[in-house]
Amino acid sequence: MSTSKLIVANWKMNGGLSANQLLLDDIKAGWGAVHCRVGVCVPYPYLTQVQLLLAGTPIALGAQDVSIHATGAYTGEVSGSMLRDFGVRYCLVGHSERRQYHRESEVDVALKARQALACGITPIVCVGETLAQREAGETDSVVKRQLAAVIHENGHCISEIVVAYEPVWAIGTGRTATPDQAQAVHAVLRAQLKAATPQHERVAILYGGSMNTGNAADLLSQPDVDGGLIGGASLKANDFLEILHKASHEALANPMK
Ligand code: 13P
């Protein structure tokens, strides 16, 4: 329920030095009238490059994961304070690809959110059901359980998180949740946040899963859809810019949302 929409790019494991530069140069060149908040979550090795490319722009830098540990003998891990050193403002936690391929548990996700918060980084907590869970009528209970773990661990600062509803069956499949399906789950998450904190209106709830230029406006016009987490379409400057412009229009059309 933030005043302006928040659109976050998740580049996943894509990019390279020259591709990143081209993409961000094109986005900066086509910026025009963007009136929404914007972030880009990039692979770790490119944090310095992208930090420099984003200097002086309103685009916030993001990472895609963070360790559950603060420091120490954890080979291959990256801590929240290291991310902070590179000016990281947002960090994805609990993306379904990490829950699925790296066996991240709900407790891991909650601890990652905690590390991010402790370092002044906004965790973007991803929740979402698989197709089998949706078909079994378990969507609400799955996303509530995923969010509950994060609330349990981070109760006192839960208003500082961002939530992203990403139905697993919609990610990278071209099959998007309908605006009604997205709104229904966002309303469930909103109610859960409301019960957890009087400051629930500070928490943006993003939709992610095959959001593109064709469906962004309808999804973003839903009352509890506060923005988007964009995968594939964020790798094409023109598509990403069009989504930013649609989100800007939506925020201007409905300033109270
Ligand atoms: P796609 O937009 O490619 O479906 O990816 C969504 C996503 O997983 C963003 O985190």
Side-chain angles (χ1 to χ4, degrees):
M1 284 242 205
S2 326
T3 46
S4 71
K5 302 284 183 191
L6 171 62
I7 303 292
V8 178
N10 175 9
W11 287 0
K12 308 194 179 185
M13 199 175 73
N14 294 292
L17 287 173
S18 51
N20 301 344
Q21 168 122 33
L22 268 175
L23 177 58
L24 290 172
D25 283 351
D26 285 351
I27 289 171
K28 287 191 274 186
W31 193 252
V34 171
H35 303 287
C36 61
R37 294 172 293 151
V38 186
V40 282
C41 295
V42 309
Y44 289 145
Y46 301 123
L47 286 173
T48 317
Q49 182 205 17
V50 175
Q51 183 186 27
L52 290 173
L53 289 170
L54 296 183
T57 77
I59 306 175
L61 181 60
Q64 299 175 11
D65 189 26
V66 63
S67 175
I68 64 172
H69 304 288
T71 186
Y74 302 102
T75 303
E77 292 284 279
V78 173
S79 71
S81 62
M82 292 172 183
L83 297 179
R84 194 65 228 173
D85 278 346
F86 292 92
V88 165
R89 288 257 312 280
Y90 294 105
C91 183
L92 303 179
V93 298
H95 192 281
S96 62
E97 288 152 13
R98 296 212 56 87
R99 293 184 195 255
Q100 190 180 345
Y101 306 137
H102 302 273
R103 298 185 201 285
E104 281 185 13
S105 69
E106 281 159 20
V107 173
D108 291 333
V109 176
L111 292 173
K112 288 181 176 206
R114 184 180 164 144
Q115 284 296 329
L117 287 165
C119 297
I121 294 168
T122 301
I124 300 177
V125 176
C126 304
V127 301
E129 81 288 2
T130 63
L131 188 57
Q133 288 166 331
R134 172 162 282 266
E135 286 173 348
E138 295 168 1
T139 300
D140 292 3
S141 62
V142 167
V143 299
K144 279 165 80 175
R145 198 177 63 228
Q146 291 172 336
L147 183 57
V150 176
I151 293 173
H152 179 73
E153 187 66 40
N154 298 279
H156 56 292
C157 39
I158 204 67
S159 61
E160 303 306 312
I161 72 169
V162 167
V163 176
Y165 169 54
E166 297 207 310
V168 177
W169 48 270
I171 294 176
T173 58
R175 186 176 166 192
T176 317
T178 65
D180 286 349
Q181 284 173 323
Q183 169 56 28
V185 178
H186 282 230
V188 166
L189 295 167
R190 174 65 60 203
Q192 192 176 4
L193 289 164
K194 200 168 178 176
T197 171
Q199 292 184 298
H200 66 94
E201 300 226 335
R202 286 172 59 88
V203 181
I205 308 178
L206 315 182
Y207 169 81
S210 298
M211 191 185 265
N212 58 38
T213 56
N215 58 33
D218 282 346
L219 286 160
L220 292 169
S221 69
Q222 297 300 307
D224 288 306
V225 177
D226 303 315
L229 181 54
I230 323 288
S234 74
L235 298 171
K236 297 178 208 139
N238 285 342
D239 286 14
F240 191 57
L241 281 165
E242 196 172 330
I243 293 170
L244 296 184
H245 292 140
K246 292 203 153 116
S248 304
H249 178 77
E250 189 53 44
L252 291 177
N254 298 290
M256 294 314 290
K257 279 203 307 204

